[in-house]
Amino acid sequence: MHLDELERLYNEQAYTEAITQLEIYLQDHPGAARGWQLLGLSQLENAKATDNRDLATAMYHSAYEAFSQVLLIDPAHVQARVHRAYMGANVLPEKGDETISDCDLLIAGGDEELTTKALLYRFQVWVLKNETDKALADMHRNLQVYESLYADDLPQLNVARFQCYTRIGDVYYHTENRPAALEYYKLAFDCTVFNNRLLSTTWFALDMADYDFAAAMLQVMISAGENTKEDILRLLRHVQQLLTDGVRNAALASAFCKGTTECWQEFYGDDDDEGTLEQISTGKRFIAQYPEEAYFYHYTATAFFNIGSYQEALPWYEKSLAIHAYPFSMVRWYFTTYKVTGQFPESWPELSHPIPYDWYAAGVIFSEIIQLEKDPAVKQASVALKRFLYKKAFDIYHAYWYDNTGDSYAGHPHHFAMCCNNYGIALYEGGFFAEAANVHTIGYNMSPFWEQLESRADAYHSMGKLAEAVADRQMILANFMEVLPLMYYVSIHERMIDDLCTLEKHAEALRLYETILEEYDSFIARDMQELEEYDRDTITYNIDRIKTGRAFIRTDSANDLSERILALENHLVEKPDDSDAYFNLMYLYFDNGQYDHCIGAINNRISIGGITKLPVISQMKIYYFRGKANLKLARYKAAIADLLYTLQIMSSGDAADNAPNYRFGVYAFLAEAYLGEKEYEECLAYAAQCLNIYASNNWAWDTEASSIRYIMALAYEAKEDIATCKKIIDQIVANDPEFRPAAEKKNQLRGGGLFSFFRKKK
């Protein structure tokens, strides 16, 4: 085999086969440095993967010898020397002298990144040799190199600093210089507050009676959620005993109280009333000891808050805010004020708080509180505060990760990503779709999870970027199936099918439609029975939406429209009260010329009810289509009633619901209906409204302009104003000679279909 083929085996992780083939190759090509390098890399990977210690050691020795062969052939081969130094420092302690020599050469090369590795490897050898001063000197030198290497990357620099300070602290700890060790652990914590040494370092700080440091780490552990509850409880119990034994430290007491809110039952029991009284007693006891510490007033207030005693909670929150305004105190005070006075405060306190997670958590707390409120106006009033809270967190996180400012309290990438998801949703709720999509992109790049993609897809959909929305949901299905809940798996299909139809990618939509319904029959209907009622109902709803969405999936079949109608009719046999099915059949029956069926579908939809809960645009469509169908059947009075009611519904909507092209469609059909009813003045009045819309929007003459003028001509003819009739007919022919009704002059126009309600004018 050639070296390129052997390298392909290595890249495909076929290490055992690569080793076998390389050994054969090197018998014939003993001077091939590249071959020895590939052999060493393959043996190194195999050694890392095996659980057999003796076998792994043998493999490491083989890899070491392979890299040594590379260096015999090419002493300047940097990567072979790096790998050999790595093994000498980490798994082959007997190679210490050779490792120091390798590291000296790497450091002399002047490459900063290689220097940091070599200094680390040499440090590890010095530690094994009990050369403490040399080990410390190498790690301090490493700090200097990192300062230069990561000068423009504060998050990476802080991680490197943390590793250096921790290693220096460990050296002091193992040489019995515990005070020095503690000082370096403090420096390490400041560089990376979210780290994997918090638990052990907190116990060490408590043992050293550095309660402020221990409290700071305990607060972070409670927020991070990366230690087991048992570990946190063990710490809290120990802290509780220290406080009981007479330790006086406000930060430690505050951390203890915060911890009990996460482990409430473990400290206050299952009886809510008794537990609340005990929490209030604990809060008041610490207030007596530390009257200038705001958190204990918050803690006491929250005990009242959690049982709905807002009147009692409010003064405690006000006292807490007066001393020091925490974000989590502010949101509860804000809601408590509403509960006591019936109104939200006009503004919230100005406060400066540097910890982004606290702002993010305050947003989550407030969202959960508001979610329990049933009044939509209350929820709407909360949107601005949620957006404010998440933005405060986002700005601090963003400055740390992108502008190299701030401290490592903003250094948790997953916290930042979760904040982005919640902030993006809050922006979306406020109608800021482009901003939401951008924030979700930042969050996904920071820590990818499927919820971020789903939220961004919603934003893209609302921006009209349907292809991007589909792509995000395709990425969810491709990469996150193992963690994607079944409920979302189904709903994602429903949304993708809808967007694909709008994009007129009907073949893709049909494949998804057939796949998800087949999966529903084969496993979804069974598996969903294990879920909570809400999830089951949501899946059923989305499956029904998918079935009714078949109305808009067009195919190349000669009987396409009939097949779509049949699919919905079959669905209604199973679900006779599915309002969406009747709503969609309304379109299909009209397009198929089944106007009585169209009216019947609409009447069924109205009889099911809930019309007023629909968006205004959907309410409009219901009566508009019934009006059009009645017009097709020459039921002019019924058509006029429906179309006038459509205008009434439109007037209750916003500017989008009253768009000029929407109004034109209704006015035009009213003009036609009044013509049929022989109420010519009303006909002309609505036709004139149509012409006014054309003029005010500067729309070019088109078929619809000809059609509405032709109706006017017929009305004048019926009024026996032949001159005006001829004048209008001549005008149509001059501007639109292909408009046959005008060219034929005497032919009568019957029926509708000339005006498109949702046609966008240009």
Side-chain angles (χ1 to χ4, degrees):
M1 298 180 75
H2 296 293
L3 277 176
D4 288 344
E5 296 175 272
L6 295 170
E7 187 167 358
R8 176 182 58 78
L9 288 174
Y10 170 78
N11 290 332
E12 292 174 353
Q13 301 181 14
Y15 303 124
T16 301
E17 184 180 354
I19 291 168
T20 301
Q21 296 297 331
L22 281 162
E23 288 173 342
I24 296 171
Y25 177 85
L26 288 168
Q27 288 177 1
D28 297 328
H29 305 85
R34 182 182 170 197
W36 287 108
Q37 175 73 1
L38 283 171
L39 179 61
L41 290 171
S42 299
Q43 290 169 330
L44 180 59
E45 292 301 328
N46 258 5
K48 291 177 182 178
T50 185
D51 294 327
N52 185 306
R53 184 173 180 178
D54 292 338
L55 182 59
T57 300
M59 288 179 176
Y60 280 122
H61 276 286
S62 296
Y64 192 93
E65 292 308 316
F67 292 129
S68 297
Q69 286 294 324
V70 175
L71 292 173
L72 283 174
I73 298 166
D74 180 9
H77 199 293
V78 172
Q79 287 306 311
R81 198 170 297 281
V82 169
H83 285 106
R84 200 170 76 159
Y86 161 80
M87 286 187 288
N90 291 282
V91 293
L92 302 175
E94 69 275 14
K95 302 291 186 182
D97 292 338
E98 294 93 331
T99 301
I100 289 172
S101 176
D102 283 338
C103 291
D104 290 343
L105 289 170
L106 290 169
I107 292 167
D111 182 281
E112 287 187 330
E113 189 167 350
L114 289 175
T115 296
T116 62
K117 290 182 179 181
L119 285 169
L120 172 60
Y121 300 154
R122 195 169 70 179
F123 162 84
Q124 291 169 196
V125 175
W126 292 136
V127 169
L128 291 173
K129 288 176 173 289
N130 293 317
E131 296 278 4
T132 302
D133 291 340
K134 291 180 179 179
L136 292 172
D138 272 356
M139 202 45 56
H140 279 289
R141 183 176 174 187
N142 224 357
L143 274 169
Q144 295 174 349
V145 179
Y146 279 129
E147 293 289 340
S148 171
L149 182 63
Y150 298 129
D152 297 324
D153 189 345
L154 181 59
Q156 186 65 48
L157 176 59
N158 271 339
V159 170
R161 286 168 171 166
F162 167 80
Q163 293 169 343
C164 290
Y165 286 135
T166 298
R167 291 183 178 113
I168 294 170
D170 288 345
V171 170
Y172 282 121
Y173 181 86
H174 290 293
T175 55
E176 300 299 326
N177 190 343
R178 290 161 65 86
L182 185 65
E183 290 307 309
Y184 277 98
Y185 290 151
K186 285 183 181 180
L187 291 172
F189 174 76
D190 287 341
C191 293
T192 306
V193 299
F194 297 98
N195 64 73
N196 60 357
R197 296 283 294 267
L198 286 173
L199 186 65
S200 60
T201 308
T202 302
W203 281 109
F204 180 54
L206 290 171
D207 187 47
M208 296 289 289
D210 193 329
Y211 299 125
D212 285 338
F213 183 34
M217 289 186 288
L218 182 53
Q219 294 267 12
V220 170
M221 277 192 284
I222 293 166
S223 301
E226 293 171 2
N227 294 95
T228 67
K229 191 170 187 178
E230 290 73 19
D231 284 336
I232 298 295
L233 271 172
R234 197 175 300 115
L235 264 177
L236 290 172
R237 295 290 189 198
H238 183 73
V239 170
Q240 184 182 37
Q241 189 61 51
L242 289 172
L243 297 171
T244 301
D245 291 345
V247 168
R248 292 290 179 265
N249 183 278
L252 195 62
S254 175
F256 167 74
C257 287
K258 184 175 181 180
T260 64
T261 63
E262 299 296 322
C263 307
W264 198 87
Q265 287 184 317
E266 287 79 4
F267 283 92
Y268 296 127
D270 295 326
D271 189 309
D272 289 348
D273 292 336
E274 289 186 11
T276 298
L277 290 174
E278 191 173 345
Q279 181 179 344
I280 292 168
S281 175
T282 301
K284 289 182 176 179
R285 174 163 56 86
F286 284 125
I287 287 171
Q289 293 177 14
Y290 312 105
E292 298 305 316
E293 291 295 328
Y295 183 79
F296 302 117
Y297 296 93
H298 164 87
Y299 184 72
T300 306
T302 302
F304 287 114
F305 182 96
N306 288 339
I307 61 171
S309 296
Y310 303 111
Q311 195 79 44
E312 290 83 358
L314 186 56
W316 294 99
Y317 281 132
E318 290 174 339
K319 179 66 173 176
S320 174
L321 292 174
I323 296 172
H324 180 85
Y326 291 107
F328 39 81
S329 298
M330 183 187 75
V331 297
R332 286 191 173 91
W333 161 81
Y334 189 75
F335 184 77
T336 300
T337 302
Y338 159 72
K339 282 295 190 181
V340 172
T341 67
Q343 292 183 329
F344 285 112
E346 292 184 3
S347 62
W348 42 82
E350 287 291 331
L351 65 149
S352 176
H353 187 75
I355 301 177
Y357 184 86
D358 288 348
W359 287 104
Y360 162 72
V364 173
I365 290 166
F366 188 60
S367 298
E368 291 174 349
I369 293 169
I370 289 296
Q371 193 64 34
L372 299 175
E373 290 294 303
K374 296 180 180 179
D375 186 349
V378 173
K379 293 183 178 182
Q380 186 60 38
S382 71
V383 171
L385 179 54
K386 284 195 294 184
R387 197 160 59 242
F388 168 79
L389 294 166
Y390 291 133
K391 185 178 188 304
K392 292 287 284 189
F394 175 85
D395 287 347
I396 299 171
Y397 281 123
H398 192 274
Y400 182 76
W401 286 95
Y402 288 90
D403 301 327
N404 289 323
T405 61
D407 59 42
S408 68
Y409 276 94
H412 198 302
H414 190 63
H415 287 179
F416 183 18
M418 291 191 301
C419 172
C420 286
N421 193 45
N422 286 29
Y423 180 37
I425 291 170
L427 287 166
Y428 177 87
E429 289 173 346
F432 303 101
F433 305 129
E435 294 91 334
N438 180 56
V439 168
H440 286 307
T441 299
I442 292 170
Y444 186 78
N445 291 339
M446 185 60 57
S447 179
F449 50 88
W450 72 267
E451 292 92 338
Q452 200 91 256
L453 289 175
E454 175 65 3
S455 298
R456 188 172 70 177
D458 283 342
Y460 280 144
H461 176 88
S462 295
M463 293 165 64
K465 294 187 173 183
L466 304 187
E468 288 84 348
V470 169
D472 273 351
R473 292 189 167 114
Q474 286 174 331
M475 198 183 307
I476 293 173
L477 296 179
N479 300 323
F480 296 96
M481 282 299 297
E482 291 185 2
V483 296
L484 185 65
L486 186 61
M487 179 180 73
Y488 285 97
Y489 177 71
V490 176
S491 70
I492 283 171
H493 279 77
E494 188 263 316
R495 296 179 187 191
M496 287 176 65
I497 290 169
D498 182 46
D499 283 347
L500 286 168
C501 287
T502 305
L503 291 167
E504 298 192 358
K505 295 185 176 182
H506 298 288
E508 289 183 49
L510 186 60
R511 282 195 297 272
L512 275 180
Y513 168 87
E514 291 172 343
T515 298
I516 193 64
L517 291 187
E518 180 182 332
E519 291 177 341
Y520 179 76
D521 290 335
S522 62
F523 72 87
I524 294 173
R526 180 194 67 235
D527 292 354
M528 65 187 276
Q529 300 309 314
E530 304 297 323
L531 304 177
E532 298 291 333
E533 181 180 2
Y534 174 80
D535 290 359
R536 294 199 307 270
D537 290 345
T538 302
I539 290 173
T540 300
Y541 171 77
N542 280 292
I543 288 294
D544 288 343
R545 291 267 299 174
I546 289 168
K547 289 180 177 179
T548 60
R550 179 66 179 88
F552 306 110
I553 305 176
R554 296 198 301 272
T555 69
D556 294 330
S557 167
N559 298 316
D560 171 53
L561 191 53
S562 297
E563 289 169 359
R564 286 187 276 151
I565 289 172
L566 182 60
L568 266 66
E569 289 176 338
N570 288 338
H571 172 62
L572 280 167
V573 172
E574 178 187 350
K575 294 285 183 71
D577 292 329
D578 189 335
S579 59
D580 286 336
Y582 288 116
F583 188 84
N584 291 352
L585 272 173
M586 168 184 81
Y587 293 101
L588 301 185
Y589 283 142
F590 189 89
D591 289 346
N592 206 37
Q594 295 173 270
Y595 304 119
D596 276 319
H597 284 66
C598 174
I599 293 169
I602 293 170
N603 290 341
N604 284 334
R605 176 62 187 90
I606 293 171
S607 68
I608 289 171
I611 302 298
T612 57
K613 295 179 181 179
L614 293 173
V616 169
I617 187 68
S618 296
Q619 296 181 47
M620 290 157 52
K621 288 177 181 179
I622 287 171
Y623 293 96
Y624 173 77
F625 267 87
R626 193 168 70 175
K628 287 204 301 178
N630 277 315
L631 187 57
K632 285 287 190 181
L633 295 169
R635 299 170 185 170
Y636 301 120
K637 280 188 168 59
I640 290 168
D642 281 334
L643 293 167
L644 289 175
Y645 192 53
T646 303
L647 289 177
Q648 183 179 330
I649 295 170
M650 292 173 72
S651 66
S652 67
D654 57 21
D657 299 320
N658 284 274
N661 48 311
Y662 290 4
R663 285 200 166 271
F664 174 87
V666 181
Y667 291 153
F669 281 117
L670 274 169
E672 187 176 352
Y674 277 117
L675 179 66
E677 194 60 20
K678 300 182 180 180
E679 295 186 29
Y680 305 121
E681 295 303 327
E682 291 290 335
C683 168
L684 292 169
Y686 280 108
Q689 292 268 45
C690 291
L691 297 184
N692 290 338
I693 289 172
Y694 261 82
S696 60
N697 289 278
N698 198 29
W699 289 344
W701 192 298
D702 59 9
T703 300
E704 291 178 355
S706 299
S707 298
I708 196 65
R709 285 178 171 82
Y710 188 70
I711 287 174
M712 295 178 75
L714 295 179
Y716 279 115
E717 182 183 32
K719 290 177 61 178
E720 298 184 357
D721 187 346
I722 303 303
T724 303
C725 173
K726 287 183 177 180
K727 182 178 179 182
I728 294 173
I729 291 295
D730 290 343
Q731 187 184 24
I732 296 170
V733 171
N735 286 277
D736 189 2
E738 299 301 319
F739 189 74
R740 291 185 62 190
E744 294 172 358
K745 291 185 178 25
K746 295 182 180 180
N747 289 345
Q748 295 295 310
L749 176 65
R750 290 292 181 263
L754 298 175
F755 308 104
S756 175
F757 189 15
F758 298 107
R759 178 183 181 278
K760 186 176 180 181
K761 294 289 181 177
K762 294 183 179 180

